[in-house]
Amino acid sequence: MQVTLPEPSYAKAGVDEEREQDAFSRVMRPWLARTQVRHPMVTSITGLSSGYFATLMHIPPGPPIAMTTDGVGTKILLARQANRWEPVGIDCVANNVNDIICVGAVPLALLDYMATDRIDEGVLEELARGMYLGAGLAGIAIPGGEIAQIGAMLAAAEGGGPMLDLVGTAIGAMPAADPGGATPGGPARWRTPVDGADIRSGDVVIGLPSSGLHSNGYSLARHVLFDIAGLSLSDQVPGAGRRLDDVLLQPTRVYVPAAEALWAAGITPKGLVHISGGGLLNLGRLAADVSYELDSLPATPPVFALIAEAGRLPAATMYATFNMGIGFCVVVSRAQQQAALAALRDAGEAPVRIGWVTSRAGRNVTIPAAGLTGHGDAFHPQVLRPPYAVMSVAAWSGT
Amino acid sequence: MQVTLPEPSYAKAGVDEEREQDAFSRVMRPWLARTQVRHPMVTSITGLSSGYFATLMHIPPGPPIAMTTDGVGTKILLARQANRWEPVGIDCVANNVNDIICVGAVPLALLDYMATDRIDEGVLEELARGMYLGAGLAGIAIPGGEIAQIGAMLAAAEGGGPMLDLVGTAIGAMPAADPGGATPGGPARWRTPVDGADIRSGDVVIGLPSSGLHSNGYSLARHVLFDIAGLSLSDQVPGAGRRLDDVLLQPTRVYVPAAEALWAAGITPKGLVHISGGGLLNLGRLAADVSYELDSLPATPPVFALIAEAGRLPAATMYATFNMGIGFCVVVSRAQQQAALAALRDAGEAPVRIGWVTSRAGRNVTIPAAGLTGHGDAFHPQVLRPPYAVMSVAAWSGT
């Protein structure tokens, strides 16, 4: 699959997503899809072919175990530039727990991996404090991890701070279908995993605000803001009343309490979608063969306008790269819409009904206000393309 | 804790383990040790204070879940140099599953993380094939992972191949104590986790051969072999009858079948120790307050002599950095020694009784033939040091 994006595209910014997904499908998936669990204690495991936000592995009589891995990416370079590390510690947790809740699981623990060119105690402490804060928001333990001093493999650090990469792997589990039944002997049934297969035409898409870019699109954002537009971290973001460094280093929001509030209120979310790499196109990863009309998106936060203007980026690129103000989506039946909105508000969220589900096949995502229809991994102005399955690839490489 | 190693030490080679452990203890552990699981479905989780080879999390009525994370480290740079990537794919799996089996668990799945500066399909395929081969040896699935294109954070790649970092996180579980009882309704009891607490004076240490350096000590090995001694990959290793590239890129052995053969034979291993960073000092991570006298170590493979000679490295550095030919250790009672050796031989291993357990407190490891006694993280010629606990730190940073 080849899609030519307008320049400056992500490829120019050092991220060639098309090629990444192509290559993964062609040369890696054939090998990895053949791996299998030898021990009979595992009765099922979702694999590369499903490729959802998190893998589920069932080991009876225990609950299905959810797992996912993700890094902070090049947001680290901003942390270095600003010498503020706590936010990316939070991101390391948030990126992963927000994926775990998409399958309906509860995140429980995270192992972190840090590659670094040196031991800088001040930086390590800020990162650890960030991870601690993120773990608190998510309700998880961080019981282990790894620090790898591999300076020879990392970029030369200009300007004082360490060069490092920060990655997390989160583990969660499906809770009891009936919380009251969670006794040591039982329960026999766990919450049913969510994959979007029950979504139907007429269902409602609720969006939860992001806090900024979260952890996606930073290669492109840095390229256009600093290399092209020549801005600096201390510049103001027009319309935001905040400096660029504060806006760009805002940590990713943790949506665990919001998701649990839905379940606690008796809502059955039909789809739970972490809006990460690929932006709102992540809705297309839901299993049902329907489409999404996002006709009520709230105003886009000012930082996205600044990025678009700095790089003269078309809306198609912006919406396919950034979350554009929505960090998480919940799909519910129309009957549960009001109860869901109420539960989310009670959990401290500011939920917005951003659109609805249409019966059109193909998992398209349409944003009428921007004149965009997208599919798979790209938005195109008014261009519709035939259906093809890249969901599992996107799940692999993009989140 | 400060230990001055002879030069060229690991610090000179870019790995400052002393500082890493110090820093972790002082600035990271205080934060991470306070993280905890909010959901009541988890009844226990081993944390930073235990810091063993893998974390165990219990979610009744399921089995305790084991998890650990580790990367391939700078062995990647040799893969680049030789343009042979399959071995490090195997290493990515082996490093992690060999830690999972140390707690008595069965490895089940692995998520991989790859940071790379470009998409090179040939390299990706070789890595995937290596991971596939490793997964086959370990009996695990690789159901997901992440490819992060973060070229701006990685070292400039000289000589053609991509620069990348490869990391795995493995998940396992304790099997049923009685394999026949593993029915959907039961069993009530799982294999008891192994942590070495039952080890007693007179117990026997059995060593399983490594295939080479496995994945540890490569920063130091590269420094002395190439920078100091000026050797090249095509040079022969004296006494080995093999080229240096073949020897150095030999994949890490997978000890999963060996461990399972012990359990299947009715052996109760008292200690299971992956000999990784820190070499045979990893025996000191076992819980019992005893010591280890390794009086029957087999001859060290020739590559280690070459490294020692090239860098004029003293035995204390060699034994504290490299596995010196032993990749995994099993501690059993004297009564089970013969049965254990037989079971391991039947599993295709070449087990050797390398030593025994002494009643001396302090978790010292003594190698009489080399004139060394070590503790915590360093061997010293005839120098004994007071006991201090760095086990959990070593578990964090070194394996």
Side-chain angles (χ1 to χ4, degrees), chain A residues 20 26 34-35 38 113 121 132 139 142 145-146 149 165 399, chain B residues 20 26 34-35 38 113 121 132 139 142 146 149 165 396 399:
Chain A
E20 175 179 308
R26 196 156 46 228
R34 289 162 62 198
T35 59
R38 188 155 59 215
Y113 167 82
E121 297 196 5
Y132 164 78
I142 303 181
E146 166 78 3
Q149 286 187 65
D165 187 22
T399 66
Chain B
E20 174 179 309
R26 196 156 47 228
R34 289 161 62 196
T35 60
R38 188 155 59 216
Y113 168 82
E121 297 197 5
Y132 163 78
I142 302 181
E146 167 78 4
Q149 287 185 65
D165 187 22
W396 181 279
T399 66

PDB file of all heavy atoms in Angstrom, chain A residues 20 26 34-35 38 113 121 132 139 142 145-146 149 165 399, chain B residues 20 26 34-35 38 113 121 132 139 142 146 149 165 396 399:
ATOM      1  N   GLU A  20       6.828   1.440   7.118  1.00  0.00           N
ATOM      2  CA  GLU A  20       6.875   0.645   8.337  1.00  0.00           C
ATOM      3  C   GLU A  20       5.798  -0.422   8.328  1.00  0.00           C
ATOM      4  O   GLU A  20       6.034  -1.589   8.642  1.00  0.00           O
ATOM      5  CB  GLU A  20       6.692   1.597   9.527  1.00  0.00           C
ATOM      6  CG  GLU A  20       6.586   0.951  10.881  1.00  0.00           C
ATOM      7  CD  GLU A  20       6.442   2.026  11.965  1.00  0.00           C
ATOM      8  OE1 GLU A  20       7.266   2.948  11.995  1.00  0.00           O
ATOM      9  OE2 GLU A  20       5.491   1.951  12.754  1.00  0.00           O
ATOM     10  N   ARG A  26       4.974  -7.541   5.382  1.00  0.00           N
ATOM     11  CA  ARG A  26       5.603  -8.414   4.399  1.00  0.00           C
ATOM     12  C   ARG A  26       6.664  -9.313   5.023  1.00  0.00           C
ATOM     13  O   ARG A  26       6.741 -10.493   4.710  1.00  0.00           O
ATOM     14  CB  ARG A  26       6.223  -7.559   3.284  1.00  0.00           C
ATOM     15  CG  ARG A  26       6.555  -8.355   2.045  1.00  0.00           C
ATOM     16  CD  ARG A  26       6.613  -7.478   0.804  1.00  0.00           C
ATOM     17  NE  ARG A  26       7.365  -6.258   1.020  1.00  0.00           N
ATOM     18  CZ  ARG A  26       6.932  -5.044   0.674  1.00  0.00           C
ATOM     19  NH1 ARG A  26       5.771  -4.897   0.096  1.00  0.00           N
ATOM     20  NH2 ARG A  26       7.684  -3.987   0.896  1.00  0.00           N
ATOM     21  N   ARG A  34       3.480 -17.140  13.268  1.00  0.00           N
ATOM     22  CA  ARG A  34       3.597 -18.599  13.424  1.00  0.00           C
ATOM     23  C   ARG A  34       4.029 -19.001  14.827  1.00  0.00           C
ATOM     24  O   ARG A  34       4.071 -20.187  15.142  1.00  0.00           O
ATOM     25  CB  ARG A  34       4.601 -19.141  12.411  1.00  0.00           C
ATOM     26  CG  ARG A  34       4.087 -19.111  10.968  1.00  0.00           C
ATOM     27  CD  ARG A  34       5.228 -19.224   9.966  1.00  0.00           C
ATOM     28  NE  ARG A  34       5.961 -20.474  10.092  1.00  0.00           N
ATOM     29  CZ  ARG A  34       7.187 -20.662   9.591  1.00  0.00           C
ATOM     30  NH1 ARG A  34       7.805 -19.673   8.962  1.00  0.00           N
ATOM     31  NH2 ARG A  34       7.792 -21.817   9.741  1.00  0.00           N
ATOM     32  N   THR A  35       4.394 -18.048  15.658  1.00  0.00           N
ATOM     33  CA  THR A  35       4.796 -18.399  17.022  1.00  0.00           C
ATOM     34  C   THR A  35       3.568 -18.822  17.825  1.00  0.00           C
ATOM     35  O   THR A  35       2.474 -18.303  17.621  1.00  0.00           O
ATOM     36  CB  THR A  35       5.469 -17.214  17.736  1.00  0.00           C
ATOM     37  OG1 THR A  35       4.548 -16.109  17.784  1.00  0.00           O
ATOM     38  CG2 THR A  35       6.726 -16.771  17.001  1.00  0.00           C
ATOM     39  N   ARG A  38       3.401 -23.185  23.757  1.00  0.00           N
ATOM     40  CA  ARG A  38       3.506 -24.648  23.834  1.00  0.00           C
ATOM     41  C   ARG A  38       2.717 -25.224  25.013  1.00  0.00           C
ATOM     42  O   ARG A  38       2.114 -26.268  24.901  1.00  0.00           O
ATOM     43  CB  ARG A  38       4.991 -25.032  23.939  1.00  0.00           C
ATOM     44  CG  ARG A  38       5.233 -26.526  23.833  1.00  0.00           C
ATOM     45  CD  ARG A  38       6.661 -26.806  23.328  1.00  0.00           C
ATOM     46  NE  ARG A  38       7.672 -26.232  24.214  1.00  0.00           N
ATOM     47  CZ  ARG A  38       8.828 -25.717  23.780  1.00  0.00           C
ATOM     48  NH1 ARG A  38       9.113 -25.693  22.491  1.00  0.00           N
ATOM     49  NH2 ARG A  38       9.691 -25.222  24.638  1.00  0.00           N
ATOM     50  N   TYR A 113      11.362   0.185  30.554  1.00  0.00           N
ATOM     51  CA  TYR A 113      12.697  -0.023  29.971  1.00  0.00           C
ATOM     52  C   TYR A 113      13.258   1.335  29.616  1.00  0.00           C
ATOM     53  O   TYR A 113      12.574   2.145  28.981  1.00  0.00           O
ATOM     54  CB  TYR A 113      12.599  -0.887  28.712  1.00  0.00           C
ATOM     55  CG  TYR A 113      13.876  -0.891  27.891  1.00  0.00           C
ATOM     56  CD1 TYR A 113      14.941  -1.727  28.228  1.00  0.00           C
ATOM     57  CD2 TYR A 113      14.030  -0.050  26.806  1.00  0.00           C
ATOM     58  CE1 TYR A 113      16.121  -1.714  27.491  1.00  0.00           C
ATOM     59  CE2 TYR A 113      15.207  -0.029  26.058  1.00  0.00           C
ATOM     60  CZ  TYR A 113      16.247  -0.875  26.406  1.00  0.00           C
ATOM     61  OH  TYR A 113      17.407  -0.862  25.668  1.00  0.00           O
ATOM     62  N   GLU A 121      21.355  11.461  37.846  1.00  0.00           N
ATOM     63  CA  GLU A 121      20.418  11.182  38.938  1.00  0.00           C
ATOM     64  C   GLU A 121      19.230  12.131  38.954  1.00  0.00           C
ATOM     65  O   GLU A 121      18.110  11.733  39.259  1.00  0.00           O
ATOM     66  CB  GLU A 121      21.152  11.206  40.291  1.00  0.00           C
ATOM     67  CG  GLU A 121      22.201  10.118  40.364  1.00  0.00           C
ATOM     68  CD  GLU A 121      22.672   9.847  41.780  1.00  0.00           C
ATOM     69  OE1 GLU A 121      22.102  10.440  42.725  1.00  0.00           O
ATOM     70  OE2 GLU A 121      23.597   9.038  41.937  1.00  0.00           O
ATOM     71  N   TYR A 132       5.708   7.444  38.818  1.00  0.00           N
ATOM     72  CA  TYR A 132       4.939   7.293  40.054  1.00  0.00           C
ATOM     73  C   TYR A 132       3.590   8.010  39.938  1.00  0.00           C
ATOM     74  O   TYR A 132       2.546   7.465  40.298  1.00  0.00           O
ATOM     75  CB  TYR A 132       5.762   7.843  41.219  1.00  0.00           C
ATOM     76  CG  TYR A 132       4.964   8.106  42.471  1.00  0.00           C
ATOM     77  CD1 TYR A 132       4.601   7.068  43.319  1.00  0.00           C
ATOM     78  CD2 TYR A 132       4.578   9.411  42.805  1.00  0.00           C
ATOM     79  CE1 TYR A 132       3.869   7.305  44.461  1.00  0.00           C
ATOM     80  CE2 TYR A 132       3.842   9.656  43.956  1.00  0.00           C
ATOM     81  CZ  TYR A 132       3.486   8.602  44.771  1.00  0.00           C
ATOM     82  OH  TYR A 132       2.756   8.843  45.899  1.00  0.00           O
ATOM     83  N   GLY A 139      -3.669   3.577  38.794  1.00  0.00           N
ATOM     84  CA  GLY A 139      -3.910   2.535  39.785  1.00  0.00           C
ATOM     85  C   GLY A 139      -3.073   1.289  39.572  1.00  0.00           C
ATOM     86  O   GLY A 139      -3.518   0.177  39.843  1.00  0.00           O
ATOM     87  N   ILE A 142       4.488  -0.451  39.572  1.00  0.00           N
ATOM     88  CA  ILE A 142       5.648  -0.577  38.668  1.00  0.00           C
ATOM     89  C   ILE A 142       6.672  -1.412  39.416  1.00  0.00           C
ATOM     90  O   ILE A 142       7.546  -0.891  40.109  1.00  0.00           O
ATOM     91  CB  ILE A 142       6.202   0.803  38.276  1.00  0.00           C
ATOM     92  CG1 ILE A 142       5.093   1.648  37.622  1.00  0.00           C
ATOM     93  CG2 ILE A 142       7.382   0.655  37.318  1.00  0.00           C
ATOM     94  CD1 ILE A 142       5.526   3.030  37.160  1.00  0.00           C
ATOM     95  N   GLY A 145      11.779  -3.295  36.082  1.00  0.00           N
ATOM     96  CA  GLY A 145      12.130  -2.621  34.847  1.00  0.00           C
ATOM     97  C   GLY A 145      13.579  -2.860  34.539  1.00  0.00           C
ATOM     98  O   GLY A 145      14.225  -3.716  35.133  1.00  0.00           O
ATOM     99  N   GLU A 146      14.085  -2.085  33.638  1.00  0.00           N
ATOM    100  CA  GLU A 146      15.444  -2.298  33.153  1.00  0.00           C
ATOM    101  C   GLU A 146      16.047  -0.957  32.763  1.00  0.00           C
ATOM    102  O   GLU A 146      15.399  -0.145  32.096  1.00  0.00           O
ATOM    103  CB  GLU A 146      15.381  -3.230  31.935  1.00  0.00           C
ATOM    104  CG  GLU A 146      16.634  -3.319  31.099  1.00  0.00           C
ATOM    105  CD  GLU A 146      17.706  -4.215  31.710  1.00  0.00           C
ATOM    106  OE1 GLU A 146      17.439  -4.816  32.764  1.00  0.00           O
ATOM    107  OE2 GLU A 146      18.802  -4.275  31.154  1.00  0.00           O
ATOM    108  N   GLN A 149      22.469   0.895  29.777  1.00  0.00           N
ATOM    109  CA  GLN A 149      23.423   1.939  29.371  1.00  0.00           C
ATOM    110  C   GLN A 149      24.020   1.547  28.031  1.00  0.00           C
ATOM    111  O   GLN A 149      24.927   0.729  27.954  1.00  0.00           O
ATOM    112  CB  GLN A 149      24.519   2.069  30.424  1.00  0.00           C
ATOM    113  CG  GLN A 149      24.048   2.762  31.692  1.00  0.00           C
ATOM    114  CD  GLN A 149      25.198   3.019  32.647  1.00  0.00           C
ATOM    115  OE1 GLN A 149      26.108   3.778  32.348  1.00  0.00           O
ATOM    116  NE2 GLN A 149      25.162   2.372  33.796  1.00  0.00           N
ATOM    117  N   ASP A 165      15.837   6.696  25.853  1.00  0.00           N
ATOM    118  CA  ASP A 165      14.588   6.202  25.286  1.00  0.00           C
ATOM    119  C   ASP A 165      13.819   5.563  26.434  1.00  0.00           C
ATOM    120  O   ASP A 165      14.418   4.929  27.305  1.00  0.00           O
ATOM    121  CB  ASP A 165      14.892   5.167  24.186  1.00  0.00           C
ATOM    122  CG  ASP A 165      13.647   4.726  23.427  1.00  0.00           C
ATOM    123  OD1 ASP A 165      12.636   5.467  23.434  1.00  0.00           O
ATOM    124  OD2 ASP A 165      13.666   3.641  22.808  1.00  0.00           O
ATOM    125  N   THR A 399       0.678   2.364  17.809  1.00  0.00           N
ATOM    126  CA  THR A 399       0.099   2.757  19.094  1.00  0.00           C
ATOM    127  C   THR A 399       1.002   2.404  20.246  1.00  0.00           C
ATOM    128  O   THR A 399       1.915   1.637  20.098  1.00  0.00           O
ATOM    129  CB  THR A 399      -1.244   2.060  19.315  1.00  0.00           C
ATOM    130  OG1 THR A 399      -1.015   0.672  19.449  1.00  0.00           O
ATOM    131  CG2 THR A 399      -2.183   2.352  18.185  1.00  0.00           C
TER     132      THR A 399
ATOM    133  N   GLU B  20      24.986   3.192  38.224  1.00  0.00           N
ATOM    134  CA  GLU B  20      23.625   2.854  37.840  1.00  0.00           C
ATOM    135  C   GLU B  20      22.852   2.315  39.042  1.00  0.00           C
ATOM    136  O   GLU B  20      21.715   2.703  39.292  1.00  0.00           O
ATOM    137  CB  GLU B  20      23.695   1.817  36.714  1.00  0.00           C
ATOM    138  CG  GLU B  20      22.392   1.230  36.259  1.00  0.00           C
ATOM    139  CD  GLU B  20      22.636   0.240  35.110  1.00  0.00           C
ATOM    140  OE1 GLU B  20      23.312   0.623  34.143  1.00  0.00           O
ATOM    141  OE2 GLU B  20      22.172  -0.899  35.201  1.00  0.00           O
ATOM    142  N   ARG B  26      18.920   5.287  45.003  1.00  0.00           N
ATOM    143  CA  ARG B  26      18.742   6.557  45.702  1.00  0.00           C
ATOM    144  C   ARG B  26      17.573   7.363  45.144  1.00  0.00           C
ATOM    145  O   ARG B  26      16.789   7.927  45.888  1.00  0.00           O
ATOM    146  CB  ARG B  26      20.038   7.370  45.611  1.00  0.00           C
ATOM    147  CG  ARG B  26      20.094   8.487  46.604  1.00  0.00           C
ATOM    148  CD  ARG B  26      21.520   8.895  46.914  1.00  0.00           C
ATOM    149  NE  ARG B  26      22.323   9.056  45.703  1.00  0.00           N
ATOM    150  CZ  ARG B  26      23.537   8.532  45.538  1.00  0.00           C
ATOM    151  NH1 ARG B  26      24.081   7.810  46.489  1.00  0.00           N
ATOM    152  NH2 ARG B  26      24.201   8.737  44.425  1.00  0.00           N
ATOM    153  N   ARG B  34       6.663   2.914  45.843  1.00  0.00           N
ATOM    154  CA  ARG B  34       5.382   3.363  46.420  1.00  0.00           C
ATOM    155  C   ARG B  34       4.198   3.114  45.489  1.00  0.00           C
ATOM    156  O   ARG B  34       3.053   3.333  45.873  1.00  0.00           O
ATOM    157  CB  ARG B  34       5.463   4.863  46.745  1.00  0.00           C
ATOM    158  CG  ARG B  34       6.377   5.176  47.931  1.00  0.00           C
ATOM    159  CD  ARG B  34       6.795   6.641  47.924  1.00  0.00           C
ATOM    160  NE  ARG B  34       5.645   7.538  48.056  1.00  0.00           N
ATOM    161  CZ  ARG B  34       5.689   8.843  47.763  1.00  0.00           C
ATOM    162  NH1 ARG B  34       6.820   9.367  47.289  1.00  0.00           N
ATOM    163  NH2 ARG B  34       4.622   9.586  47.909  1.00  0.00           N
ATOM    164  N   THR B  35       4.448   2.699  44.265  1.00  0.00           N
ATOM    165  CA  THR B  35       3.336   2.431  43.348  1.00  0.00           C
ATOM    166  C   THR B  35       2.615   1.158  43.781  1.00  0.00           C
ATOM    167  O   THR B  35       3.227   0.227  44.290  1.00  0.00           O
ATOM    168  CB  THR B  35       3.837   2.255  41.905  1.00  0.00           C
ATOM    169  OG1 THR B  35       4.750   1.154  41.850  1.00  0.00           O
ATOM    170  CG2 THR B  35       4.531   3.507  41.416  1.00  0.00           C
ATOM    171  N   ARG B  38      -4.376  -0.704  42.373  1.00  0.00           N
ATOM    172  CA  ARG B  38      -5.599  -0.228  43.010  1.00  0.00           C
ATOM    173  C   ARG B  38      -6.699  -1.288  43.027  1.00  0.00           C
ATOM    174  O   ARG B  38      -7.442  -1.414  43.991  1.00  0.00           O
ATOM    175  CB  ARG B  38      -6.096   1.023  42.272  1.00  0.00           C
ATOM    176  CG  ARG B  38      -7.252   1.730  42.942  1.00  0.00           C
ATOM    177  CD  ARG B  38      -7.289   3.212  42.559  1.00  0.00           C
ATOM    178  NE  ARG B  38      -7.415   3.420  41.133  1.00  0.00           N
ATOM    179  CZ  ARG B  38      -6.831   4.418  40.454  1.00  0.00           C
ATOM    180  NH1 ARG B  38      -6.067   5.284  41.087  1.00  0.00           N
ATOM    181  NH2 ARG B  38      -6.991   4.547  39.167  1.00  0.00           N
ATOM    182  N   TYR B 113       9.900  -4.732  21.503  1.00  0.00           N
ATOM    183  CA  TYR B 113       9.976  -3.298  21.196  1.00  0.00           C
ATOM    184  C   TYR B 113      11.234  -3.074  20.383  1.00  0.00           C
ATOM    185  O   TYR B 113      12.311  -3.547  20.764  1.00  0.00           O
ATOM    186  CB  TYR B 113      10.039  -2.472  22.483  1.00  0.00           C
ATOM    187  CG  TYR B 113      10.407  -1.024  22.247  1.00  0.00           C
ATOM    188  CD1 TYR B 113       9.456  -0.091  21.845  1.00  0.00           C
ATOM    189  CD2 TYR B 113      11.723  -0.590  22.405  1.00  0.00           C
ATOM    190  CE1 TYR B 113       9.801   1.229  21.615  1.00  0.00           C
ATOM    191  CE2 TYR B 113      12.077   0.739  22.173  1.00  0.00           C
ATOM    192  CZ  TYR B 113      11.109   1.637  21.781  1.00  0.00           C
ATOM    193  OH  TYR B 113      11.448   2.951  21.542  1.00  0.00           O
ATOM    194  N   GLU B 121      13.957  -3.761   5.286  1.00  0.00           N
ATOM    195  CA  GLU B 121      13.161  -4.991   5.300  1.00  0.00           C
ATOM    196  C   GLU B 121      14.010  -6.240   5.499  1.00  0.00           C
ATOM    197  O   GLU B 121      13.599  -7.184   6.163  1.00  0.00           O
ATOM    198  CB  GLU B 121      12.342  -5.093   4.012  1.00  0.00           C
ATOM    199  CG  GLU B 121      11.341  -3.963   3.900  1.00  0.00           C
ATOM    200  CD  GLU B 121      10.252  -4.227   2.877  1.00  0.00           C
ATOM    201  OE1 GLU B 121      10.210  -5.337   2.311  1.00  0.00           O
ATOM    202  OE2 GLU B 121       9.442  -3.312   2.659  1.00  0.00           O
ATOM    203  N   TYR B 132      11.318 -15.677  15.914  1.00  0.00           N
ATOM    204  CA  TYR B 132      10.527 -16.882  15.667  1.00  0.00           C
ATOM    205  C   TYR B 132      11.279 -18.132  16.158  1.00  0.00           C
ATOM    206  O   TYR B 132      10.696 -18.990  16.833  1.00  0.00           O
ATOM    207  CB  TYR B 132      10.225 -16.991  14.170  1.00  0.00           C
ATOM    208  CG  TYR B 132       9.770 -18.342  13.718  1.00  0.00           C
ATOM    209  CD1 TYR B 132       8.460 -18.776  13.939  1.00  0.00           C
ATOM    210  CD2 TYR B 132      10.651 -19.217  13.078  1.00  0.00           C
ATOM    211  CE1 TYR B 132       8.051 -20.034  13.531  1.00  0.00           C
ATOM    212  CE2 TYR B 132      10.247 -20.470  12.673  1.00  0.00           C
ATOM    213  CZ  TYR B 132       8.948 -20.877  12.900  1.00  0.00           C
ATOM    214  OH  TYR B 132       8.545 -22.127  12.503  1.00  0.00           O
ATOM    215  N   GLY B 139       8.906 -22.068  23.411  1.00  0.00           N
ATOM    216  CA  GLY B 139       7.497 -22.456  23.456  1.00  0.00           C
ATOM    217  C   GLY B 139       6.553 -21.298  23.741  1.00  0.00           C
ATOM    218  O   GLY B 139       5.529 -21.467  24.400  1.00  0.00           O
ATOM    219  N   ILE B 142       4.605 -14.687  20.193  1.00  0.00           N
ATOM    220  CA  ILE B 142       4.952 -13.253  20.144  1.00  0.00           C
ATOM    221  C   ILE B 142       3.763 -12.556  19.495  1.00  0.00           C
ATOM    222  O   ILE B 142       3.713 -12.373  18.286  1.00  0.00           O
ATOM    223  CB  ILE B 142       6.255 -13.017  19.360  1.00  0.00           C
ATOM    224  CG1 ILE B 142       7.394 -13.818  20.003  1.00  0.00           C
ATOM    225  CG2 ILE B 142       6.596 -11.520  19.342  1.00  0.00           C
ATOM    226  CD1 ILE B 142       8.743 -13.648  19.326  1.00  0.00           C
ATOM    227  N   GLU B 146       6.059  -3.441  19.114  1.00  0.00           N
ATOM    228  CA  GLU B 146       6.076  -2.034  18.731  1.00  0.00           C
ATOM    229  C   GLU B 146       7.341  -1.745  17.941  1.00  0.00           C
ATOM    230  O   GLU B 146       8.427  -2.160  18.330  1.00  0.00           O
ATOM    231  CB  GLU B 146       6.043  -1.176  20.012  1.00  0.00           C
ATOM    232  CG  GLU B 146       6.368   0.278  19.839  1.00  0.00           C
ATOM    233  CD  GLU B 146       5.200   1.087  19.278  1.00  0.00           C
ATOM    234  OE1 GLU B 146       4.113   0.509  19.092  1.00  0.00           O
ATOM    235  OE2 GLU B 146       5.399   2.277  19.011  1.00  0.00           O
ATOM    236  N   GLN B 149      10.099   4.404  15.108  1.00  0.00           N
ATOM    237  CA  GLN B 149      11.106   5.073  14.277  1.00  0.00           C
ATOM    238  C   GLN B 149      11.524   6.347  14.967  1.00  0.00           C
ATOM    239  O   GLN B 149      10.837   7.358  14.896  1.00  0.00           O
ATOM    240  CB  GLN B 149      10.533   5.373  12.896  1.00  0.00           C
ATOM    241  CG  GLN B 149      10.383   4.145  12.024  1.00  0.00           C
ATOM    242  CD  GLN B 149       9.917   4.511  10.631  1.00  0.00           C
ATOM    243  OE1 GLN B 149      10.630   5.173   9.890  1.00  0.00           O
ATOM    244  NE2 GLN B 149       8.728   4.077  10.282  1.00  0.00           N
ATOM    245  N   ASP B 165      17.567  -0.671  18.486  1.00  0.00           N
ATOM    246  CA  ASP B 165      17.588  -1.233  19.835  1.00  0.00           C
ATOM    247  C   ASP B 165      16.456  -2.254  19.896  1.00  0.00           C
ATOM    248  O   ASP B 165      15.382  -2.020  19.331  1.00  0.00           O
ATOM    249  CB  ASP B 165      17.372  -0.111  20.871  1.00  0.00           C
ATOM    250  CG  ASP B 165      17.558  -0.594  22.303  1.00  0.00           C
ATOM    251  OD1 ASP B 165      18.228  -1.617  22.510  1.00  0.00           O
ATOM    252  OD2 ASP B 165      17.030   0.071  23.226  1.00  0.00           O
ATOM    253  N   TRP B 396      17.063  -5.255  39.007  1.00  0.00           N
ATOM    254  CA  TRP B 396      16.513  -4.189  38.198  1.00  0.00           C
ATOM    255  C   TRP B 396      17.406  -3.876  37.006  1.00  0.00           C
ATOM    256  O   TRP B 396      16.980  -3.841  35.871  1.00  0.00           O
ATOM    257  CB  TRP B 396      16.375  -2.929  39.046  1.00  0.00           C
ATOM    258  CG  TRP B 396      15.783  -1.810  38.281  1.00  0.00           C
ATOM    259  CD1 TRP B 396      16.417  -0.972  37.416  1.00  0.00           C
ATOM    260  CD2 TRP B 396      14.419  -1.431  38.259  1.00  0.00           C
ATOM    261  NE1 TRP B 396      15.545  -0.092  36.865  1.00  0.00           N
ATOM    262  CE2 TRP B 396      14.307  -0.352  37.370  1.00  0.00           C
ATOM    263  CE3 TRP B 396      13.282  -1.891  38.908  1.00  0.00           C
ATOM    264  CZ2 TRP B 396      13.087   0.268  37.119  1.00  0.00           C
ATOM    265  CZ3 TRP B 396      12.076  -1.270  38.662  1.00  0.00           C
ATOM    266  CH2 TRP B 396      11.984  -0.220  37.780  1.00  0.00           C
ATOM    267  N   THR B 399      19.891  -7.472  34.552  1.00  0.00           N
ATOM    268  CA  THR B 399      19.532  -8.729  33.896  1.00  0.00           C
ATOM    269  C   THR B 399      18.552  -8.511  32.779  1.00  0.00           C
ATOM    270  O   THR B 399      17.936  -7.489  32.687  1.00  0.00           O
ATOM    271  CB  THR B 399      18.902  -9.697  34.897  1.00  0.00           C
ATOM    272  OG1 THR B 399      17.675  -9.147  35.323  1.00  0.00           O
ATOM    273  CG2 THR B 399      19.812  -9.924  36.048  1.00  0.00           C
TER     274      THR B 399
END
